[in-house]
Amino acid sequence: MHDPSPARRPPAEPIFEELGIVRDPRSLFHQVVEQVLVAADLAALPHHQRIILAQPKNEVMVHFPVLMDDGHHRLFKGYRVQHNNALGPYKGGLRYHHRLALDDVKALAVLMTMKCALAGLPFGGAKGGVKCSPRELSEGELRRVTRRFCSAISHQIGPHYDVPGPDVGTDAQVMAWFADTYAQMTPEHSRQDSLGVVTGKPVGFGGSHGRDKATGQGLVEVLDAMLPELGLDASTISFSVLGYGNVGSWTARLLASRGARLVAVLDHTGAIREDRGIDADALEAHVRRRGGVEGFAEATAIDEASFYGTEVDLLVPAALEQMIDASKAAQIKAAVVAEGANAPTTPEGDAVLMQRGVEVLPAILCNAGGVTVSYFEWVQNRTATWWSAEEVDRRLRGHMHAAVERVKVARRRHDCDLRTAAFAAACARIGEVYSLRGVFP
Ligand code: GLU
């Protein structure tokens, strides 16, 4: 068992001080950078590389008006934060959420840098989005928001420079509108090349087979590679899922199709439990119709505390950031937590899970499948080729298992927890590139 003491925290302090960052414990960005700097220390990154990673390269913030259905214009706020592009073009999702804030976007951009490096992709990290409630917008409003947002940031992105993809609140349709808008703004003779400006597009419009399920599938591949050494088998485990959107529902459906038993689900509408097993496909259809798990007839409604207290082999947090704090972590009765969402566990929650011996499989490993198939889509767009669903599955498996191996090697080398090991493996790859390139001039 590794040492969970916080003795490795200090490496961040001198860097924060030097950069004039006043550490705010509620800032997700500060928390993530702190974790990265701890890992950068283990990976022996030189000082100049640490200060580069401690801040995003570019932070773009835009305001744009959109005509609403009732005839008035509303002003929206959009973001694109580009953290690092040492390994390749910036890459990361666009989130539409009513509480989207710059601090979160910066944190998520750092996580993309780390995730792409760990997954062995030729991409850096970015994140963006629009502060809005997509569920409350009509289809026409959503389309106009997307087109105006794309035009507002069109000079900051590009298929060879920064490639957005889907995230919470955006889907293949949003990516299609985005790609079409970008194409309209591209000179006719290079318009075909513009298709690769976003990934996660519909299969009929330059998308890749397997992108929709990719994050869930990548998570299942990680479980296949990690569970045996924890004495568990992905085809016989019981599990619960927090959030039943793209990541949660695909993970549940793919695990259930292998024989695993889904016993509890919690989302923004309520929680349900059925010890004999919940039909993951039927629940997905219900959520699509009703907007959440509430009212699903083939399971019993439970409260939030009972959800966390449900005894399972595996819990998959697949909702938003920071849902598992110290008090939730104390209630969890799972042997393993596999983070489907980005940063779902607070540092305090993490410490509690560690003390209680719960194995946490970190997000930058578990949810790397989405951006990996985004990379496949980008390669297909650039080479004008089409891969079969089987080809995508095969390549995804290879990438995920290689990433798991990198984490295991880093854990052995540094004798640390899996999260720190994943960040250390990512830092080592970025550090190697910076050492080879040097710093201009
Ligand atoms: N939103 C996804 C993530 O957090 C990736 C988006 C993309 O494919 O670029 O990993």
Side-chain angles (χ1 to χ4, degrees):
M1 204 51 205
H2 50 81
D3 173 14
S5 80
R8 285 189 173 129
R9 288 264 159 232
E13 278 171 24
I15 302 277
F16 274 32
E17 223 171 88
E18 180 182 338
L19 300 179
I21 301 173
V22 181
R23 193 184 174 283
D24 175 356
R26 289 159 312 177
S27 158
L28 184 61
F29 174 64
H30 291 174
Q31 287 171 23
V32 169
V33 171
E34 235 169 21
Q35 289 170 337
V36 169
L37 290 174
V38 168
D41 185 52
L42 287 180
L45 257 53
H47 169 263
H48 72 277
Q49 295 178 11
R50 297 183 204 198
I51 54 173
I52 291 172
L53 291 176
Q55 290 284 24
K57 258 194 163 170
N58 306 309
E59 298 172 27
V60 179
M61 227 189 290
V62 293
H63 294 94
F64 54 92
V66 173
L67 179 65
M68 307 304 281
D69 289 347
D70 65 4
H72 88 286
H73 283 88
R74 205 173 120 192
L75 196 71
F76 287 85
K77 185 193 267 294
Y79 304 92
R80 187 66 181 169
V81 172
Q82 297 161 334
H83 174 251
N84 190 275
N85 62 350
L87 297 184
Y90 297 108
K91 183 84 190 86
L94 296 178
R95 175 173 297 195
Y96 287 4
H97 193 269
H98 64 283
R99 275 203 302 268
L100 193 65
L102 180 61
D103 183 81
D104 301 323
V105 182
K106 284 164 68 176
L108 293 163
V110 179
L111 291 173
M112 286 311 301
T113 300
M114 294 291 129
K115 194 185 304 184
C116 292
L118 179 65
L121 308 178
F123 283 140
K127 202 79 170 195
V130 178
K131 187 170 171 7
C132 67
S133 306
R135 283 197 197 98
E136 283 160 26
L137 298 176
S138 70
E139 188 184 309
E141 288 169 340
L142 193 63
R143 188 179 61 242
R144 293 193 290 278
V145 165
T146 300
R147 289 197 185 282
R148 272 308 294 251
F149 176 50
C150 175
S151 86
I153 63 165
S154 62
H155 296 296
Q156 328 283 343
I157 57 172
H160 307 285
Y161 179 63
D162 181 358
V163 185
D167 195 76
V168 175
T170 56
D171 58 12
Q173 177 61 76
V174 170
M175 294 303 121
W177 289 326
F178 198 100
D180 178 65
T181 308
Y182 189 82
Q184 302 310 318
M185 308 181 72
T186 307
E188 188 83 42
H189 54 77
S190 48
R191 203 164 272 176
Q192 284 315 314
D193 192 37
S194 73
L195 199 59
V197 69
V198 279
T199 57
K201 301 178 291 292
V203 174
F205 179 39
S208 175
H209 285 295
R211 177 61 185 88
D212 197 35
K213 64 172 180 167
T215 311
Q217 187 167 355
L219 197 149
V220 174
E221 295 292 353
V222 170
L223 294 175
D224 270 346
M226 298 287 302
L227 288 188
E229 68 183 57
L230 301 169
L232 296 168
D233 176 345
S235 62
T236 57
I237 51 169
S238 60
F239 69 105
S240 57
V241 176
L242 170 55
Y244 214 73
N246 174 284
V247 182
S249 73
W250 272 114
T251 302
R253 283 183 279 167
L254 293 167
L255 276 176
S257 72
R258 290 169 173 232
R261 189 161 42 93
L262 173 64
V263 296
V265 182
L266 168 71
D267 76 358
H268 61 106
T269 63
I272 55 171
R273 175 173 173 170
E274 173 50 65
D275 288 346
R276 283 170 306 172
I278 294 167
D279 181 333
D281 290 308
L283 182 60
E284 192 276 330
H286 172 88
V287 170
R288 211 166 350 107
R289 270 196 320 274
R290 305 275 295 270
V293 302
E294 191 189 31
F296 184 64
E298 285 93 60
T300 310
I302 56 172
D303 61 13
E304 196 182 280
S306 318
F307 169 82
Y308 285 107
T310 301
E311 206 162 315
V312 281
D313 296 314
L314 168 75
L315 166 65
V316 181
L320 290 173
E321 299 81 39
Q322 306 288 276
M323 308 259 319
I324 301 179
D325 56 15
S327 80
K328 305 271 168 45
Q331 296 167 42
I332 286 173
K333 289 213 184 72
V336 179
V337 170
E339 297 181 334
N342 290 309
T345 315
T346 67
E348 296 76 22
D350 217 11
V352 171
L353 291 175
M354 232 181 251
Q355 273 155 18
R356 296 185 54 227
V358 178
E359 192 73 61
V360 179
L361 310 183
I364 64 162
L365 174 64
C366 287
N367 71 24
V371 73
T372 299
V373 177
S374 275
Y375 164 59
F376 298 163
E377 177 175 333
W378 184 74
V379 171
Q380 291 170 78
N381 290 165
R382 291 189 62 166
T383 54
T385 48
W386 305 104
W387 301 351
S388 67
E390 294 73 29
E391 175 77 1
V392 171
D393 285 352
R394 189 182 62 75
R395 289 182 188 248
L396 176 60
R397 191 170 313 122
H399 270 267
M400 296 311 295
H401 286 250
V404 168
E405 208 37 51
R406 284 183 200 109
V407 175
K408 285 184 178 174
V409 168
R411 177 176 56 177
R412 277 198 298 276
R413 180 171 302 151
H414 304 302
D415 185 26
C416 60
D417 60 278
L418 288 170
R419 189 188 309 286
T420 309
F423 282 134
C427 283
R429 184 154 175 256
I430 297 165
E432 188 191 348
V433 171
Y434 270 123
S435 299
L436 291 167
R437 290 170 52 159
V439 174
F440 176 82

